[in-house]
Amino acid sequence: MAYVATRGGENAIQQSEQLFHDLRGPVTPAFIQALLQTMPYLVDRVMSEAGLYAPELAALALAQSGGDLYESVLLLRAYCSTQPRLAYAQPVQSADLFTVRRISAAFKEIPGGQILGPSLDYSHRLLRFDLLDGVQTPSEVTPAAQAANKVYPTVAAWQRGQDLIAKLPTPEPFDSLTTPDITREPVSFPASRAHRLQALARADTGGTLALGYASMRGYGLTHPTINELRLAYADVKLTHPLTGKSFSAGRVRVSQAEVVSTGGGTPEKPVLELGFCATLGWNEVKVIAASMLDMEMDKPNPHPAHKEEFVLYHTEAVEGSGFCIHFKLPHYVTFSSSMDNIRNVRESQTRGMFEGIFVQKIVKPTTGNSVESTNGHSGTSAGHVPTTEPSPKQDSVKEGSA
Amino acid sequence: MTIPTAVNAYPPSTLAETLARETFQALLAALSNPGRVFTLPGAALSTEQSCRQIGLTLLDLETSFFTPDHILRHELDQSGARFRTASSAAYLFFPNSDAFEAMMMQQTIDIIAQATSGTITDPDEGATVIVACEVGEGQALHLHGPGIQHTNEVRIDRLPVEFWHLRAAKISYPLGIDIFLVDGGQVVGLPRTTVVEIE
């Protein structure tokens, strides 16, 4: 890669940035708060792909970049990389999540019951033009007679009890120095389980959907069912450095999907196999697509677009978008080299054509120097010294151009 | 023309953060200019204080350290870094000038001999050794390598010649250990790329 170091243009760059901000309109604290209130799913998507739970900063990033998702994710990741780590939270178990939505497409009567929670799944997809006119519809959720549970057992735990899913390995105690961390080390393949789940948690929603959708449409080898989909709040539990006691530093929105498919185990004892994805924020489409990809990647010989390396590399939002926009940088040297090649090929072919005419019509050169000296490159016919009799082909060239 | 910088684009830093940043810059400069003597920020530091300041600058809960010095170990525990064995720690501190007694020095060298030089796939895991000495007197070291235009000379006392043999034995680029020599508030960096010749 050859890039041209450019100097100057500071004023143009400054004005360009200013123009961007001027066209976007002012960003006020009230606007950021409104964004936070009215667009939690947009904020969640950015936080998920950034791998940083900071709703106010995510809203700020969105406002500052005019709603450019990739720019917002990059802003958050860049900020995150400057912050020291103060503590590691304790691992979160699904069964401890403060769950507001929890559905299963596999079983109707799952232990704990299906909790619809907040969703647009069953809404009419009609634009509410009345909102444009400022009509305020009082929306009130009718409280249930009996409050729903806060926590629910996992569907997979019940299935494990039925011996339908392989037992979980005994978890090793969390050690910050030995647990793989995708923000600190590059992924190598085959990736560790931790790296894969971390990569999927931060994966680009659009990219994950595109690859996951390809799998669902039939390029995949599995036909999964959503075993459990959850939207929940997770307690961020820390250990106090002095007292050693566990305390909650707050709650974060999390979502997770678990898909199952037949085909696991042995022919004698078939079991269900699992695909899983969890992410910060409530991002249903992403966790469903990613959990299916998780299962697909485990297959011995998946479609090339569902191989682990392909999926994890190409759903990396910041690297992907960064590579894409880097093409806007001056590539004058590389492009100029390509242009030289094109010109050389064209020139040598044209010269071959004219050499024929030249030989026949005007003189009989003893060497080809007069032609070659104008061009140092050895093209297709540069080595051809036209001292022989004209070929029939050259005749036709002459006639054609006469 | 000048480009105006955004006001309040970054959060204000505390005194401790400012000190850590300036210390880090001094350490970076020391590693970039092997053999040149740099002064750590802060007034008239003792060697022990310098080691503590370097430790609190470089360590956080994502890394690990070892030191035979109990006081320093207690102080560096504040950083959140994990205390580990000499062979697995990322940073090793030898702040105690008492260690220069012959027997103690041998122990120090035995400990440094255990320090990791990294692996071929992860040479960045090579340990960093912070060791007390006297700068400006004693053994003349002739240095050359990246960051030194021709050769550089620095005099280091209270480190036996075995120390330099050990350093040479631990380095096989890109593997190796990086060293900071500390004397009071002065620091000299010796990255693994520097070749040390002794007379």
Side-chain angles (χ1 to χ4, degrees):
Chain A
M1 278 290 157
Y3 297 104
V4 179
T6 50
R7 284 176 191 279
E10 285 94 343
N11 189 39
I13 289 168
Q14 198 188 347
Q15 292 301 318
S16 160
E17 206 174 309
Q18 197 56 53
L19 187 59
F20 179 94
H21 293 309
D22 285 0
L23 289 176
R24 181 205 52 205
V27 173
T28 60
F31 175 72
I32 291 170
Q33 290 307 319
L35 192 62
L36 206 52
Q37 293 280 314
T38 55
M39 305 210 169
Y41 292 91
L42 178 63
V43 169
D44 277 11
R45 177 170 172 171
V46 171
M47 292 195 297
S48 145
E49 293 176 18
L52 174 70
Y53 196 90
E56 195 171 33
L57 299 184
L60 170 64
L62 278 163
Q64 182 184 331
S65 61
D68 185 324
L69 285 176
Y70 291 114
E71 197 70 29
S72 307
V73 172
L74 174 57
L75 280 169
L76 280 190
R77 284 215 194 153
Y79 170 77
C80 187
S81 69
T82 65
Q83 297 303 302
R85 290 195 179 177
L86 302 179
Y88 291 96
Q90 293 160 15
V92 175
Q93 301 298 330
S94 300
D96 299 334
L97 294 174
F98 176 17
T99 305
V100 298
R101 172 165 162 80
R102 183 247 194 178
I103 54 171
S104 171
F107 303 92
K108 189 180 174 200
E109 301 291 336
I110 47 174
Q114 309 241 8
I115 307 295
L116 203 52
S119 172
L120 284 180
D121 281 354
Y122 301 98
S123 69
H124 286 293
R125 267 61 181 208
L126 295 174
L127 276 176
R128 287 277 311 275
F129 291 109
D130 54 336
L131 294 180
L132 280 177
D133 300 331
V135 173
Q136 296 286 324
T137 45
S139 120
E140 278 178 21
V141 176
T142 314
Q146 191 188 348
N149 290 340
K150 282 185 174 176
V151 295
Y152 297 86
T154 64
V155 176
W158 174 72
Q159 287 158 329
R160 284 200 178 90
Q162 307 284 311
D163 205 16
L164 288 169
I165 295 180
K167 294 266 182 297
L168 277 177
T170 319
E172 287 177 20
F174 173 75
D175 182 344
S176 58
L177 289 185
T178 54
T179 301
D181 181 349
I182 204 168
T183 67
R184 293 292 186 271
E185 65 217 17
V187 185
S188 57
F189 295 97
S192 65
R193 185 75 188 141
H195 266 167
R196 183 196 282 188
L197 291 179
Q198 289 164 10
L200 288 177
R202 303 202 309 170
D204 178 38
T205 306
T208 310
L209 175 61
L211 295 179
Y213 179 47
S215 157
M216 298 170 211
R217 276 195 67 236
Y219 286 95
L221 304 168
T222 55
H223 302 279
T225 306
I226 296 178
N227 207 33
E228 186 170 358
L229 172 70
R230 275 190 194 225
L231 300 186
Y233 294 90
D235 272 318
V236 180
K237 280 193 181 157
L238 302 176
T239 308
H240 195 280
L242 296 179
T243 64
K245 284 187 179 160
S246 175
F247 69 101
S248 172
R251 278 177 177 157
V252 297
R253 284 195 297 271
V254 291
S255 48
Q256 62 171 64
E258 200 162 52
V259 293
V260 285
S261 174
T262 54
T266 58
E268 295 76 35
K269 192 195 171 193
V271 292
L272 295 169
E273 49 187 0
L274 278 179
F276 181 77
C277 176
T279 189
L280 291 172
W282 292 353
N283 307 278
E284 289 190 8
V285 168
K286 174 167 141 174
V287 289
I288 294 169
S291 57
M292 292 188 180
L293 283 172
D294 177 41
M295 180 183 279
E296 198 67 34
M297 286 187 268
D298 280 339
K299 290 288 167 191
N301 196 16
H303 185 273
H306 297 137
K307 285 190 193 303
E308 185 178 54
E309 186 170 340
F310 193 96
V311 172
L312 300 193
Y313 273 151
H314 298 120
T315 55
E316 171 37 65
V318 168
E319 288 190 24
S321 64
F323 200 78
C324 183
I325 60 175
H326 109 278
F327 283 108
K328 294 186 284 185
L329 288 171
H331 282 66
Y332 304 145
V333 174
T334 37
F335 190 70
S336 157
S337 150
S338 310
M339 288 302 289
D340 283 350
N341 285 339
I342 288 184
R343 286 198 192 97
N344 287 342
V345 170
R346 286 190 168 195
E347 215 165 88
S348 56
Q349 288 193 346
T350 315
R351 193 171 62 231
M353 194 168 76
F354 279 106
E355 271 170 9
I357 301 166
F358 187 74
V359 171
Q360 279 197 311
K361 278 193 165 176
I362 307 170
V363 285
K364 266 189 181 175
T366 50
T367 70
N369 279 351
S370 59
V371 178
E372 285 181 1
S373 62
T374 59
N375 192 324
H377 300 276
S378 57
T380 48
S381 65
H384 172 66
V385 181
T387 52
T388 53
E389 290 298 306
S391 67
K393 188 185 171 195
Q394 284 164 332
D395 271 336
S396 69
V397 168
K398 185 190 96 182
E399 284 160 14
S401 49
Chain B
M1 67 172 294
T2 54
I3 307 279
T5 49
V7 182
N8 292 335
Y10 48 87
S13 43
T14 63
L15 282 175
E17 285 169 339
T18 305
L19 185 68
R21 187 168 57 244
E22 287 172 1
T23 305
F24 185 81
Q25 282 165 345
L27 295 175
L28 193 64
L31 270 194
S32 312
N33 301 277
R36 243 166 74 183
V37 182
F38 287 85
T39 306
L40 294 173
L45 296 170
S46 69
T47 303
E48 287 81 359
Q49 287 169 329
S50 289
C51 287
R52 176 175 172 272
Q53 192 165 311
I54 291 171
L56 293 178
T57 297
L58 296 179
L59 299 180
D60 61 17
L61 81 172
E62 291 180 70
T63 187
S64 57
F65 73 103
F66 171 85
T67 180
D69 189 281
H70 293 290
I71 299 169
L72 185 66
R73 174 181 172 177
H74 182 69
E75 290 172 332
L76 294 185
D77 272 339
Q78 296 168 26
S79 68
R82 198 77 60 86
F83 186 83
R84 279 194 158 186
T85 60
S87 58
S88 58
Y91 295 91
L92 286 77
F93 295 84
F94 301 94
N96 200 338
S97 15
D98 294 344
F100 298 131
E101 303 304 324
M103 197 184 75
M104 294 290 282
M105 193 67 231
Q106 190 53 49
Q107 283 180 5
T108 298
I109 286 185
D110 289 346
I111 295 171
I112 296 176
Q114 297 170 32
T116 174
S117 297
T119 59
I120 286 293
T121 47
D122 296 293
D124 55 298
E125 287 174 5
T128 301
V129 177
I130 293 96
V131 61
C133 66
E134 250 176 60
V135 174
E137 290 174 43
Q139 178 82 57
L141 308 179
H142 298 279
L143 314 175
H144 61 93
I148 304 165
Q149 193 165 15
H150 302 294
T151 58
N152 203 350
E153 193 190 287
V154 64
R155 285 186 177 275
I156 301 294
D157 204 4
R158 311 196 75 167
L159 285 178
V161 80
E162 294 84 59
F163 178 84
W164 301 110
H165 289 312
L166 174 63
R167 178 184 179 273
K170 296 216 65 96
I171 294 174
S172 168
Y173 191 81
L175 307 186
I177 56 171
D178 303 307
I179 295 173
F180 287 110
L181 303 169
V182 181
D183 178 10
Q186 294 182 311
V187 64
V188 173
L190 286 179
R192 64 189 76 176
T193 50
T194 301
V195 179
V196 176
E197 285 172 10
I198 43 181
E199 284 169 347

